[in-house]
Amino acid sequence: QAVLTQPASLSASPGASASLTCTLRSGINVGTYRIYWYQQKPGSPPQFLLRYKSDSDKQQGSGVPSRFSGSKDASANAGILLISGLQSEDEADYYCMTWHSNAYVFGTGTKVTVL
Amino acid sequence: EVQLVESGGGLVQPGRSLRLSCAASGFTFDGYAMHWVRQPPGKGLEWVSSINWKSDSVGYADSVKGRFTISRDNAKNSLYLQMSSLRTEDTAFYYCAKAFSYDFWSGLNYWGQGTLVTVSS
């Protein structure tokens, strides 16, 4: 089982909110991990969006709009990237990442389509 | 403005070696750890290797351990990845990335544009 699991795709309408999940493998407690989120558009490198461990340990990327926010769902053992007020320019692949067992681990990525 | 420019990619035969470089500017290079991350065309991201600010701590993914060597030259603001015994599965875009701080477990914030390595006979 992968360390970080992301749904392959998500579709939503312009102006809607999209909640992207990054589920940690059973036995790994999301509460102790800092989750990073990256956005990648076709033909471009990933760009750092934000990192989130707790409300007192979080950081937004430089120039990243506040409609991108991070959180956790302890009951689901998952990190969450919330995109509010979806815009066509948000159409991209989104990857989560964490530091686990002396290695960086990436999620499989979620392709967000804005209908 | 942080700038990371990778070079050295290209077509190489299986079993051969290749050295990637990353030229950094726009920040105090010797104050930050650095990373290499790769992405096979059309696929997801995979961490490759990291090095701390003074080169006395490095890390490698299991898939490249023993074959790849990361290094840096702070005087030249440059990061390197020496790749040997290359395999077809090493084919990917290779990205250089900057850390948040001097230790490499602090995460990645800025990424270069990447350089493509193709391993094929």
Side-chain angles (χ1 to χ4, degrees), chain B residues 18-71:
Chain B
L18 201 63
R19 188 196 198 203
L20 305 183
S21 300
C22 172
S25 61
F27 65 102
T28 306
F29 183 72
D30 61 7
Y32 294 88
M34 297 293 294
H35 312 273
W36 288 101
V37 176
R38 68 184 181 184
Q39 184 175 35
K43 298 190 177 180
L45 300 167
E46 180 189 18
W47 172 70
V48 173
S49 182
S50 299
I51 186 168
N52 74 343
W53 66 289
K54 54 181 179 177
S55 305
D56 64 355
S57 183
V58 298
Y60 297 97
D62 288 343
S63 58
V64 306
K65 201 171 293 183
R67 300 188 300 123
F68 290 11
T69 302
I70 191 172
S71 63

Side-chain angles (χ1 to χ4, degrees), chain A residues 66-103:
Chain A
S66 59
R67 56 195 187 79
F68 290 87
S69 62
S71 66
K72 289 180 179 177
D73 182 345
S75 64
N77 202 34
I80 307 290
L81 174 68
L82 179 68
I83 311 173
S84 304
L86 263 175
Q87 301 180 3
S88 58
E89 66 203 51
D90 300 331
E91 196 160 278
D93 293 327
Y94 292 83
Y95 293 92
C96 60
M97 182 195 79
T98 198
W99 176 252
H100 171 71
S101 293
N102 293 319

